[in-house]
Amino acid sequence: MPQIKEWIGEAKQTVPDLYPAELVLTFSGAELSTNVEEPYILPLPPAWEQAMLEKDDDDESDEPQFTHLLVIDTNATAEEYSEYETAVLLTKTAAIARDDNAIKVFLYSEFQKSGNPPLVINRELYNDVTAKALPFLDFIPAIIFMLAVFAVLLLPWIAAPFILLGYLFYLLLFTLLAWVLAAIMSRKFTYGELYKLGMYGLTPAILIEWVLHWFHTGIAMLFSLIFLVTMGIVIGAFPKKGAKTVAVPAKSPKRPKSPKRPKK
Protein backbone atom coordinates (compact mmCIF):
# COMPACT_ATOMS: atom_id res chain seq x y z
CA MET A 1 0.00 0.00 0.00
CA PRO A 2 2.79 2.56 0.71
CA GLN A 3 4.28 1.84 -2.74
CA ILE A 4 0.89 2.35 -4.37
CA LYS A 5 0.39 5.68 -2.63
CA GLU A 6 3.89 6.74 -3.67
CA TRP A 7 3.12 5.77 -7.28
CA ILE A 8 -0.14 7.79 -7.18
CA GLY A 9 1.75 10.83 -5.95
CA GLU A 10 4.34 10.51 -8.72
CA ALA A 11 1.62 10.04 -11.35
CA LYS A 12 -0.17 13.21 -10.27
CA GLN A 13 3.06 15.16 -10.63
CA THR A 14 4.31 13.57 -13.86
CA VAL A 15 1.24 12.84 -16.00
CA PRO A 16 -0.02 16.45 -16.41
CA ASP A 17 3.29 17.52 -18.00
CA LEU A 18 3.80 14.50 -20.27
CA TYR A 19 2.04 15.91 -23.33
CA PRO A 20 4.08 18.54 -25.21
CA ALA A 21 2.38 21.89 -25.70
CA GLU A 22 3.21 22.08 -29.42
CA LEU A 23 2.11 18.55 -30.42
CA VAL A 24 -1.16 18.05 -32.33
CA LEU A 25 -2.25 14.57 -33.43
CA THR A 26 -4.96 14.24 -36.07
CA PHE A 27 -6.64 10.89 -36.73
CA SER A 28 -8.60 11.06 -39.97
CA GLY A 29 -9.70 8.14 -42.12
CA ALA A 30 -7.93 5.72 -39.76
CA GLU A 31 -4.60 7.47 -40.48
CA LEU A 32 -2.41 9.68 -38.30
CA SER A 33 -0.93 13.03 -39.22
CA THR A 34 1.04 15.47 -37.04
CA ASN A 35 2.19 19.08 -37.04
CA VAL A 36 5.76 18.32 -35.90
CA GLU A 37 8.93 17.14 -37.54
CA GLU A 38 9.25 13.35 -37.43
CA PRO A 39 10.44 11.19 -35.89
CA TYR A 40 9.11 12.97 -32.82
CA ILE A 41 10.36 11.64 -29.49
CA LEU A 42 8.84 11.88 -26.03
CA PRO A 43 11.57 11.01 -23.51
CA LEU A 44 11.00 8.66 -20.62
CA PRO A 45 10.31 10.61 -17.38
CA PRO A 46 13.13 10.14 -14.85
CA ALA A 47 10.67 8.93 -12.21
CA TRP A 48 9.61 6.06 -14.51
CA GLU A 49 13.06 4.86 -15.49
CA GLN A 50 13.37 2.40 -12.59
CA ALA A 51 10.02 0.81 -13.48
CA MET A 52 11.15 0.37 -17.06
CA LEU A 53 14.31 -1.56 -16.17
CA GLU A 54 14.53 -5.10 -17.44
CA LYS A 55 16.47 -7.56 -15.30
CA ASP A 56 18.91 -9.71 -17.23
CA ASP A 57 19.35 -13.08 -15.54
CA ASP A 58 22.79 -13.61 -17.10
CA ASP A 59 24.07 -10.16 -16.24
CA GLU A 60 23.96 -8.54 -12.82
CA SER A 61 23.68 -5.08 -14.34
CA ASP A 62 20.24 -3.67 -15.16
CA GLU A 63 19.61 -2.29 -18.61
CA PRO A 64 16.64 -0.06 -19.53
CA GLN A 65 14.03 -1.82 -21.61
CA PHE A 66 13.06 1.48 -23.28
CA THR A 67 14.90 4.74 -23.68
CA HIS A 68 11.82 6.64 -24.96
CA LEU A 69 8.24 6.74 -23.80
CA LEU A 70 6.75 7.49 -27.22
CA VAL A 71 8.04 7.91 -30.77
CA ILE A 72 5.89 9.24 -33.61
CA ASP A 73 6.99 8.35 -37.12
CA THR A 74 4.31 8.00 -39.78
CA ASN A 75 6.87 6.52 -42.16
CA ALA A 76 7.80 3.65 -39.81
CA THR A 77 6.54 0.08 -39.96
CA ALA A 78 5.76 -2.49 -37.29
CA GLU A 79 8.90 -4.45 -38.22
CA GLU A 80 11.04 -1.44 -37.25
CA TYR A 81 9.57 -1.18 -33.74
CA SER A 82 12.62 -2.58 -31.92
CA GLU A 83 14.94 -0.09 -33.66
CA TYR A 84 13.24 2.89 -32.00
CA GLU A 85 13.83 1.68 -28.39
CA THR A 86 10.47 3.07 -27.30
CA ALA A 87 7.53 1.85 -25.27
CA VAL A 88 5.02 2.95 -27.91
CA LEU A 89 5.54 3.68 -31.61
CA LEU A 90 2.89 5.59 -33.54
CA THR A 91 2.96 4.95 -37.28
CA LYS A 92 0.61 6.22 -39.98
CA THR A 93 -1.97 3.48 -39.46
CA ALA A 94 -1.24 1.80 -36.12
CA ALA A 95 0.15 2.04 -32.62
CA ILE A 96 2.78 -0.59 -31.77
CA ALA A 97 3.68 -1.63 -28.23
CA ARG A 98 5.19 -4.59 -26.44
CA ASP A 99 2.99 -6.95 -24.41
CA ASP A 100 5.16 -9.30 -22.32
CA ASN A 101 7.44 -10.85 -24.96
CA ALA A 102 5.21 -10.18 -27.96
CA ILE A 103 4.64 -7.08 -30.07
CA LYS A 104 1.04 -5.88 -30.32
CA VAL A 105 -0.29 -3.80 -33.21
CA PHE A 106 -3.40 -1.65 -32.62
CA LEU A 107 -4.89 -0.32 -35.84
CA TYR A 108 -6.49 3.13 -35.77
CA SER A 109 -9.29 1.71 -37.92
CA GLU A 110 -10.52 -0.20 -34.87
CA PHE A 111 -11.77 3.01 -33.25
CA GLN A 112 -11.68 5.52 -36.12
CA LYS A 113 -14.41 4.39 -38.51
CA SER A 114 -14.59 5.71 -42.05
CA GLY A 115 -16.95 8.66 -42.38
CA ASN A 116 -16.44 9.83 -38.80
CA PRO A 117 -15.12 13.37 -38.22
CA PRO A 118 -11.37 13.66 -37.57
CA LEU A 119 -10.17 13.17 -33.99
CA VAL A 120 -7.77 15.93 -32.94
CA ILE A 121 -5.65 15.50 -29.80
CA ASN A 122 -3.77 18.51 -28.44
CA ARG A 123 -2.52 19.79 -25.11
CA GLU A 124 -5.87 21.39 -24.26
CA LEU A 125 -7.78 18.14 -24.74
CA TYR A 126 -5.09 16.23 -22.83
CA ASN A 127 -5.38 18.61 -19.87
CA ASP A 128 -9.16 18.22 -19.78
CA VAL A 129 -8.95 14.42 -19.79
CA THR A 130 -6.21 14.20 -17.17
CA ALA A 131 -7.97 16.71 -14.91
CA LYS A 132 -11.02 14.42 -14.85
CA ALA A 133 -9.10 11.12 -14.69
CA LEU A 134 -6.39 11.79 -12.10
CA PRO A 135 -8.77 12.21 -9.12
CA PHE A 136 -9.89 8.62 -9.64
CA LEU A 137 -6.38 7.46 -8.69
CA ASP A 138 -7.27 8.22 -5.07
CA PHE A 139 -9.77 5.34 -5.17
CA ILE A 140 -7.10 2.78 -6.05
CA PRO A 141 -6.01 2.00 -2.43
CA ALA A 142 -9.64 1.40 -1.40
CA ILE A 143 -10.24 -0.82 -4.45
CA ILE A 144 -7.10 -2.86 -3.73
CA PHE A 145 -8.15 -3.26 -0.09
CA MET A 146 -11.57 -4.54 -1.15
CA LEU A 147 -9.98 -6.95 -3.62
CA ALA A 148 -7.67 -8.24 -0.88
CA VAL A 149 -10.61 -8.87 1.44
CA PHE A 150 -12.46 -10.60 -1.40
CA ALA A 151 -9.41 -12.76 -2.15
CA VAL A 152 -8.96 -13.82 1.47
CA LEU A 153 -12.61 -14.51 2.29
CA LEU A 154 -14.31 -15.57 -0.94
CA LEU A 155 -11.68 -16.66 -3.46
CA PRO A 156 -10.88 -19.97 -1.69
CA TRP A 157 -14.55 -20.94 -1.86
CA ILE A 158 -14.70 -20.05 -5.54
CA ALA A 159 -11.43 -21.77 -6.44
CA ALA A 160 -11.99 -24.93 -4.39
CA PRO A 161 -14.52 -26.59 -6.76
CA PHE A 162 -12.20 -26.07 -9.74
CA ILE A 163 -9.22 -27.45 -7.80
CA LEU A 164 -11.30 -30.46 -6.73
CA LEU A 165 -12.37 -31.01 -10.33
CA GLY A 166 -8.72 -31.00 -11.36
CA TYR A 167 -7.90 -33.70 -8.79
CA LEU A 168 -10.85 -35.83 -9.97
CA PHE A 169 -9.56 -35.68 -13.54
CA TYR A 170 -6.08 -36.53 -12.23
CA LEU A 171 -7.48 -39.66 -10.56
CA LEU A 172 -9.04 -40.84 -13.83
CA LEU A 173 -5.55 -41.57 -15.15
CA PHE A 174 -3.57 -42.45 -12.04
CA THR A 175 -6.22 -44.82 -10.74
CA LEU A 176 -5.30 -46.99 -13.72
CA LEU A 177 -1.71 -47.09 -12.45
CA ALA A 178 -2.98 -47.97 -8.98
CA TRP A 179 -5.08 -50.72 -10.58
CA VAL A 180 -1.96 -52.15 -12.21
CA LEU A 181 -0.15 -51.88 -8.89
CA ALA A 182 -2.94 -53.79 -7.17
CA ALA A 183 -2.71 -56.55 -9.78
CA ILE A 184 1.04 -56.83 -9.26
CA MET A 185 0.48 -57.09 -5.50
CA SER A 186 -2.21 -59.77 -6.05
CA ARG A 187 -4.98 -57.65 -4.56
CA LYS A 188 -8.44 -57.67 -6.05
CA PHE A 189 -10.04 -54.26 -6.53
CA THR A 190 -12.44 -52.75 -9.01
CA TYR A 191 -11.56 -49.48 -10.73
CA GLY A 192 -14.34 -47.72 -8.83
CA GLU A 193 -13.06 -48.96 -5.46
CA LEU A 194 -9.54 -47.71 -6.18
CA TYR A 195 -10.90 -44.40 -7.46
CA LYS A 196 -12.68 -43.84 -4.14
CA LEU A 197 -9.59 -44.85 -2.18
CA GLY A 198 -7.56 -42.50 -4.34
CA MET A 199 -9.57 -39.52 -3.09
CA TYR A 200 -8.15 -40.22 0.36
CA GLY A 201 -4.76 -41.26 -1.01
CA LEU A 202 -4.27 -37.77 -2.47
CA THR A 203 -4.10 -36.21 1.00
CA PRO A 204 -0.38 -36.85 1.79
CA ALA A 205 0.65 -35.69 -1.69
CA ILE A 206 -1.39 -32.49 -1.37
CA LEU A 207 0.01 -31.70 2.08
CA ILE A 208 3.64 -32.30 1.10
CA GLU A 209 3.26 -30.27 -2.09
CA TRP A 210 1.72 -27.42 -0.06
CA VAL A 211 4.67 -27.42 2.38
CA LEU A 212 7.21 -27.44 -0.47
CA HIS A 213 5.37 -24.57 -2.13
CA TRP A 214 5.92 -22.36 0.92
CA PHE A 215 9.64 -23.22 0.82
CA HIS A 216 9.69 -22.25 -2.87
CA THR A 217 10.93 -25.64 -3.96
CA GLY A 218 9.59 -28.62 -5.82
CA ILE A 219 10.58 -31.91 -7.41
CA ALA A 220 9.25 -33.15 -10.74
CA MET A 221 6.64 -35.93 -10.46
CA LEU A 222 6.96 -35.91 -6.65
CA PHE A 223 3.20 -35.49 -6.26
CA SER A 224 2.44 -38.57 -8.35
CA LEU A 225 5.20 -40.58 -6.67
CA ILE A 226 3.81 -39.83 -3.19
CA PHE A 227 0.31 -40.71 -4.35
CA LEU A 228 1.38 -44.08 -5.78
CA VAL A 229 3.43 -44.93 -2.67
CA THR A 230 0.45 -44.07 -0.48
CA MET A 231 -1.84 -46.21 -2.61
CA GLY A 232 0.69 -49.05 -2.45
CA ILE A 233 0.62 -48.93 1.36
CA VAL A 234 -3.18 -48.88 1.38
CA ILE A 235 -3.48 -51.71 -1.14
CA GLY A 236 -0.96 -53.79 0.81
CA ALA A 237 -3.16 -53.58 3.91
CA PHE A 238 -5.82 -55.69 2.18
CA PRO A 239 -5.60 -59.51 1.94
CA LYS A 240 -4.18 -61.08 -1.19
CA LYS A 241 -6.40 -62.45 -3.91
CA GLY A 242 -7.58 -65.97 -3.01
CA ALA A 243 -6.40 -65.78 0.58
CA LYS A 244 -8.57 -67.86 2.88
CA THR A 245 -10.06 -66.24 5.87
CA VAL A 246 -10.91 -68.32 8.92
CA ALA A 247 -14.31 -67.54 10.31
CA VAL A 248 -14.37 -67.49 14.07
CA PRO A 249 -17.75 -68.67 15.33
CA ALA A 250 -19.42 -66.35 17.69
CA LYS A 251 -19.66 -67.70 21.19
CA SER A 252 -23.19 -68.20 22.41
CA PRO A 253 -23.83 -66.32 25.59
CA LYS A 254 -23.88 -68.47 28.67
CA ARG A 255 -27.20 -68.91 30.29
CA PRO A 256 -27.27 -67.81 33.87
CA LYS A 257 -27.51 -70.69 36.23
CA SER A 258 -30.86 -71.06 37.82
CA PRO A 259 -30.74 -70.73 41.57
CA LYS A 260 -30.87 -73.98 43.44
CA ARG A 261 -34.15 -74.75 45.04
CA PRO A 262 -34.00 -75.34 48.75
CA LYS A 263 -34.51 -78.91 49.76
CA LYS A 264 -37.76 -79.74 51.44
Side-chain angles (χ1 to χ4, degrees):
M1 193 63 71
Q3 293 177 350
I4 293 171
K5 291 181 179 179
E6 182 181 354
W7 174 83
I8 292 173
E10 292 179 355
K12 287 183 176 181
Q13 294 178 358
T14 306
V15 171
D17 298 328
L18 281 179
Y19 198 94
E22 72 279 4
L23 179 62
V24 178
L25 303 177
T26 303
F27 297 90
S28 178
E31 292 185 351
L32 170 65
S33 60
T34 68
N35 66 329
V36 292
E37 184 179 353
E38 299 179 9
Y40 188 84
I41 298 175
L42 269 69
L44 194 65
W48 293 10
E49 289 183 0
Q50 188 64 29
M52 291 294 182
L53 292 179
E54 182 182 37
K55 181 67 177 177
D56 189 353
D57 295 334
D58 298 329
D59 189 358
E60 295 182 356
S61 63
D62 290 335
E63 295 182 359
Q65 187 175 2
F66 311 114
T67 56
H68 311 301
L69 179 63
L70 175 71
V71 173
I72 305 171
D73 190 350
T74 54
N75 295 319
T77 61
E79 290 76 12
E80 299 172 334
Y81 170 77
S82 58
E83 300 177 6
Y84 285 86
E85 298 181 351
T86 180
V88 180
L89 172 65
L90 298 184
T91 67
K92 191 176 186 63
T93 59
I96 300 107
R98 186 179 297 277
D99 182 13
D100 294 332
N101 295 325
I103 295 177
K104 299 293 184 180
V105 178
F106 305 92
L107 297 175
Y108 306 142
S109 58
E110 295 178 0
F111 65 90
Q112 180 70 18
K113 303 299 181 182
S114 59
N116 290 349
L119 173 62
V120 179
I121 300 177
N122 53 24
R123 178 61 184 264
E124 183 180 359
L125 177 61
Y126 179 84
N127 288 341
D128 291 341
V129 172
T130 54
K132 295 176 181 179
L134 287 178
F136 287 97
L137 295 179
D138 295 328
F139 294 100
I140 292 179
I143 293 173
I144 293 178
F145 177 78
M146 293 176 62
L147 290 175
V149 173
F150 171 81
V152 171
L153 298 181
L154 299 180
L155 192 59
W157 297 94
I158 297 174
F162 295 97
I163 296 174
L164 176 61
L165 188 62
Y167 285 132
L168 294 180
F169 277 110
Y170 173 89
L171 285 175
L172 289 176
L173 173 61
F174 279 85
T175 298
L176 291 175
L177 298 180
W179 201 12
V180 173
L181 183 61
I184 295 174
M185 299 174 66
S186 301
R187 263 66 172 184
K188 186 178 180 180
F189 287 95
T190 64
Y191 179 87
E193 291 171 342
L194 285 175
Y195 190 89
K196 294 176 183 178
L197 288 173
M199 295 181 184
Y200 300 96
L202 284 173
T203 303
I206 293 173
L207 291 176
I208 294 176
E209 185 184 55
W210 180 75
V211 171
L212 293 178
H213 170 75
W214 287 106
F215 284 99
H216 302 285
T217 185
I219 302 174
M221 298 301 294
L222 179 63
F223 184 91
S224 299
L225 179 61
I226 295 173
F227 170 72
L228 292 175
V229 170
T230 303
M231 291 301 295
I233 295 172
V234 173
I235 292 171
F238 286 83
K240 289 187 177 182
K241 190 189 304 182
K244 295 181 179 180
T245 56
V246 179
V248 179
K251 294 182 179 180
S252 57
K254 294 182 179 180
R255 294 181 180 179
K257 295 181 179 180
S258 57
K260 295 181 178 180
R261 293 181 180 180
K263 294 180 179 181
K264 292 182 180 181

